[in-house]
């Protein structure tokens, strides 16, 4: 689960970097050039399979872990116990479910159109014209709000996930763990704020 999570965290850096090209102010030209480059690259197809396998492994083990925890203690503690565990760690399953729901909506909005599972909207030049799709999607305040709120929960999830993945791999050291926690916090904030800028930009600042 930790290894799959680490792969997903790397994907998010890559995905954010590509998507931030949407904000270049060139009508989506550099973003669409990056999309064309990635679409033409056969390695990306393999990376996509690995990505979906990582999502699947991560989700299945996450659900099993939650079921296991629930079976170990079906009746919650009467009084909330004061432990070292942060709210972020206690709500990993819940924030994970929110991210999963977001992901389903998100794949319908973009990826399923590329696959041809969802019809290409008439305003898009092709099923790869993700820039036009993003403009129309984020001009809708409801979609922008759904994405924005999801990114806040994504940040909460990542905040704990980062340090936890190192811990699960046995990397736990009085000297390095505090640094890992700081880097994890910076990573979580950078990813969630980075993604959140995109709907905000299209909703309030983008001029066609
Ligand atoms: C405003 C933020 C985001 C935008 C504009 C965006 C945009 C896109 C676009 C255009 C695609 C289709 C790319 C292609 O298939 O060539 C895509 C696919 C995908 N996105 Fe996002 N995305 C955002 C946030 C996220 C987040 C936060 C996650 C994960 C939690 C995510 C996960 C995925 C996955 C798994 C795919 C399918 C695989 C892929 O095409 O790489 N996206 N996204």
């Amino acid at each position: 689960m930790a290894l799959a999570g680490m792969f997903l965290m790397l994907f998010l850096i890559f995905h954010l970097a590509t998507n931030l090209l949407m904000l270049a102010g060139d009508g989506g030209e550099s973003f669409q050039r990056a999309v064309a480059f990635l679409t033409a690259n056969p390695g990306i197809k393999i990376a996509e399979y690995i990505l979906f396998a990582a999502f699947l492994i991560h989700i299945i083990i996450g659900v099993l872990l939650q079921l296991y925890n629930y079976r170990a203690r079906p009746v919650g503690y009467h009084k909330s116990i004061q432990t070292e565990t942060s709210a972020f760690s206690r709500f990993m399953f819940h924030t994970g479910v929110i991210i999963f729901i977001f992901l389903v909506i998100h794949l319908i909005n973009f990826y399923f159109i590329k696959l041809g599972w969802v019809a290409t909207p008439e305003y898009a030049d092709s099923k790869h014209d993700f820039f036009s799709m993003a403009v129309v999607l984020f001009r809708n305040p409801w979609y922008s709000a759904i994405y924005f709120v999801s990114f806040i929960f994504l940040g909460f999830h990542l905040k704990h996930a980062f340090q936890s993945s190192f811990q699960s791999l046995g990397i736990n050291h009085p000297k390095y763990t505090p640094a890992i926690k700081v880097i994890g916090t910076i990573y979580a904030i950078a990813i969630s704020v980075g993604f959140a800028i995109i709907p905000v930009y299209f909703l309030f600042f983008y001029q066609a």
Side-chain angles (χ1 to χ4, degrees):
M1 186 178 194
L3 279 178
M6 278 180 160
F7 183 81
L8 296 175
M9 287 192 285
L10 277 178
F11 160 74
L12 284 178
I13 297 175
F14 183 74
H15 198 47
L16 176 59
T18 318
N19 287 332
L20 283 178
L21 289 174
M22 287 184 181
L23 314 189
D26 56 3
E29 214 185 297
S30 32
F31 170 73
Q32 284 301 143
R33 227 179 300 134
V35 170
F37 173 75
L38 295 176
T39 310
N41 191 332
I44 292 295
K45 195 83 227 148
I46 299 165
E48 254 174 37
Y49 288 126
I50 300 173
L51 177 68
F52 283 108
F55 264 114
L56 212 65
I57 292 168
H58 193 74
I59 291 166
I60 290 172
I61 302 179
V63 170
L64 289 177
L65 208 64
Q66 180 72 7
L67 288 176
Y68 177 81
N69 286 343
Y70 183 73
R71 280 183 57 169
R73 182 148 195 105
V75 181
Y77 290 104
H78 187 58
K79 248 179 156 185
S80 65
I81 41 166
Q82 300 295 313
T83 66
E84 281 278 301
T85 53
S86 67
F88 298 112
S89 71
R90 269 182 285 135
F91 292 112
M92 284 308 273
F93 179 74
H94 310 81
T95 50
V97 170
I98 294 169
I99 296 165
F100 177 74
I101 295 168
F102 158 77
L103 202 59
V104 173
I105 297 171
H106 180 51
L107 292 181
I108 294 171
N109 292 153
F110 293 101
Y111 189 66
F112 289 177
I113 295 177
K114 173 174 118 174
L115 295 185
W117 296 358
V118 172
T120 307
E122 73 282 358
Y123 52 75
D125 290 341
S126 75
K127 60 181 181 174
H128 297 288
D129 183 9
F130 298 127
F131 186 77
S132 303
M133 295 176 207
V135 171
V136 174
L137 186 78
F138 295 130
R139 281 278 170 190
N140 179 332
W142 287 107
Y143 270 112
S144 267
I146 291 172
Y147 271 66
F148 190 88
V149 171
S150 303
F151 299 148
I152 295 176
F153 286 107
L154 176 66
F156 291 157
H157 195 80
L158 293 174
K159 156 91 176 70
H160 178 72
F162 192 94
Q163 60 160 96
S164 171
S165 58
F166 282 89
Q167 175 118 23
S168 302
L169 296 178
I171 304 165
N172 192 359
H173 190 278
K175 203 165 143 199
Y176 304 121
T177 301
I180 290 173
K181 282 187 183 173
V182 173
I183 296 168
T185 305
I186 295 170
Y187 169 82
I189 294 173
I191 292 289
S192 56
V193 171
F195 275 121
I197 289 171
I198 299 172
V200 170
Y201 167 77
F202 282 116
L203 192 58
F204 298 114
F205 302 106
Y206 177 73
Q207 275 159 2

